[in-house]
């Protein structure tokens, strides 16, 4: 990047310099944005100030320093502890909130922003702090498309970006959906490690096989998405009658080895209920119906 480009980068203020907020501020600084930083515990600003950031003594001072403020704190309550007192200072400026939240919290913050004449974009980061600023990081945004378009060149410094639509709750909804996919996979992996460890198999010995299977997941989830979208669940490659037996083995071997069987037992319960509803010849996409409360009760 040339010096000329650096001097034309818009100023940004970053509120919250925990692990993620500090990584955001550093990426903005590295890209040449004049960056003002504030954190409740002031010492967390020190390394960033040493790297060229401007320290704000107060939240109001930080907000006043830039047309765009990026907030990234622990949760919704922390966000409003920090921002409610400076709503008037934010008026007429843009706020991008990268704090994790529920969709309801994101919509409430958007309503608060509208009442206070703040241009608001809700965003979620799908990345570890160490990957912020690289193509491995991706960020999802929702809220007014024009606010996204205006600030996208700045936000793109943090990672790949996508705008999901005008409903400010969408980024949270997708984020939680993706976290669900992540923790489902991680919990299954940990459960399997516990079973294997009971027979003295090393995690490292199992890892290449788990990795190979995870490599097949994109095709599997694409097939499941197709089943759900078309409503055609007929098991072409695998059917619930067979899969329930297989998952039943996992429950059995877990119990026999003193491993909590709750994870496979939950999956088996979904399968058993679908089979009881006469869906035994369907594939796993059919389990979606059993995940809504009325269907489970049926
Ligand atoms: P963190 O290291 O625990 O930092 C939390 C930040 O919130 C600190 O700056 C803390 O200030 C601030 N804070 C807490 N309560 C506050 C309050 N009442 N008023 C003002 N500031 C307050 O957490 P993090 O990892 O940076 O995560 C920040 C956000 O990024 C979270 O919403 C998280 O879900 C999201 N995120 C994190 C990751 C990750 O891998 N770290 C990945 C994706 C998304 P003090 O320093 O003064 O305590």
């Amino acid at each position: 990047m040339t010096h000329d480009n650096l001097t034309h980068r818009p100023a940004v203020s970053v509120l919250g310099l925990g692990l993620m907020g500090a990584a955001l501020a550093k990426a903005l600084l590295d890209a040449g944005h004049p960056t003002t930083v504030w954190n409740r515990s002031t010492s967390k600003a020190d390394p960033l100030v040493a790297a060229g950031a401007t320290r704000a003594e107060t939240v109001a001072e930080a907000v006043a320093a830039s047309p765009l403020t990026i907030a990234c704190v622990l949760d919704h309550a922390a966000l409003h502890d920090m921002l409610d007192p400076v709503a008037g200072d934010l008026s007429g400026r843009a706020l991008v909130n990268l704090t994790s939240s529920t969709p309801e919290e994101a919509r409430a913050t958007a309503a608060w922003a509208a009442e206070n004449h703040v241009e608001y974009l809700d965003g979620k980061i799908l990345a570890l702090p160490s990957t912020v600023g690289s193509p491995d990081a991706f960020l999802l945004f929702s809220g007014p498309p024009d606010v996204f378009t205006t600030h996208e060149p700045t936000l793109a410094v943090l990672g790949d970006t996508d705008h999901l639509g005008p409903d400010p709750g969408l980024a949270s909804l997708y984020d939680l959906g993706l976290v669900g996919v992540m923790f489902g996979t991680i919990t299954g992996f940990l459960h399997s490690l516990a079973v294997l460890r009971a027979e003295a198999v090393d995690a490292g010995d199992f890892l290449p096989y788990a990795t190979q299977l995870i490599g097949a997941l994109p095709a599997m989830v694409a097939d499941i998405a197709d089943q759900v979208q078309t409503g055609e669940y007929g098991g072409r490659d695998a059917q619930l009658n067979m899969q329930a037996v297989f998952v039943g083995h996992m429950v059995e071997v877990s119990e026999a080895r003193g491993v909590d069987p709750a994870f496979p037992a939950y999956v088996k319960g979904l399968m058993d209920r679908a089979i009881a509803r006469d869906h035994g010849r369907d594939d796993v996409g059919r389990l979606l119906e059993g995940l809504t409360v009325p269907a489970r009760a049926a």
Side-chain angles (χ1 to χ4, degrees):
M1 181 171 301
T2 66
H3 181 70
D4 190 49
N5 282 337
L6 294 180
T7 56
H8 288 93
R9 292 278 185 174
V12 186
S13 294
V14 179
L15 303 176
L17 304 172
L19 293 172
M20 184 53 86
L24 300 171
K26 185 68 171 58
L28 290 162
L29 265 180
D30 288 348
H33 287 272
T35 305
T36 298
V37 293
W38 176 90
N39 192 65
R40 183 180 60 175
S41 315
T42 54
S43 62
K44 287 189 185 166
D46 295 348
L48 290 157
V49 171
T54 302
R55 185 194 308 273
E57 299 298 336
T58 63
V59 180
E61 193 182 310
V63 164
S66 312
L68 169 64
T69 292
I70 296 178
C72 184
V73 288
L74 186 63
D75 58 13
H76 182 75
L79 181 81
H80 283 277
D81 275 358
M82 181 174 73
L83 292 184
D84 286 359
V86 299
D89 302 279
L90 272 168
S91 179
R93 297 173 187 272
L95 170 67
V96 172
N97 175 29
L98 296 176
T99 303
S100 71
S101 68
T102 65
E104 287 79 2
E105 288 171 340
R107 289 172 188 136
T109 301
W112 169 90
E115 276 166 28
N116 290 290
H117 311 288
V118 179
E119 292 179 1
Y120 181 73
L121 200 60
D122 200 82
K124 300 293 168 251
I125 316 170
L126 294 116
L128 292 171
S130 56
T131 65
V132 167
S134 82
D136 288 340
F138 75 101
L139 297 94
L140 297 176
F141 295 94
S142 57
D146 57 323
V147 180
F148 176 72
T149 305
T150 302
H151 298 288
E152 205 275 339
T154 299
L155 300 171
V157 159
L158 306 173
D160 276 352
T161 62
D162 212 350
H163 182 254
L164 297 169
D167 172 358
L170 278 180
S172 288
L173 198 61
Y174 276 57
D175 183 41
L176 293 174
L178 292 166
V179 167
V181 173
M182 182 179 80
F183 280 116
T185 306
I186 286 174
T187 308
F189 180 58
L190 287 171
H191 182 270
S192 296
L193 287 186
V195 169
L196 288 155
R197 193 170 62 171
E199 299 233 5
V201 175
D202 270 354
D205 290 342
F206 180 60
L207 181 64
Y209 304 98
T211 306
Q212 188 171 4
L213 182 115
I214 287 169
L217 283 179
M220 288 188 208
V221 295
D223 185 41
I224 292 168
D226 184 58
Q227 292 171 36
V228 168
Q229 276 183 315
T230 60
E232 289 174 16
Y233 296 108
R236 296 181 294 272
D237 289 327
Q239 299 181 341
L240 289 173
N241 283 328
M242 174 278 293
Q243 288 164 318
V245 173
F246 192 78
V247 177
H249 292 155
M250 200 55 177
V251 175
E252 194 181 314
V253 300
S254 302
E255 283 169 341
R257 285 156 183 77
V259 173
D260 184 349
F263 184 68
Y266 172 69
V267 179
K268 177 131 182 8
L270 286 173
M271 291 178 165
D272 288 346
R273 285 192 293 276
I275 292 167
R277 294 195 305 273
D278 204 22
H279 296 311
R281 293 193 178 282
D282 286 348
D283 206 340
V284 286
R286 181 64 85 174
L287 300 183
L288 186 72
E289 292 175 356
L291 287 164
T292 56
V293 175
R296 285 190 69 174

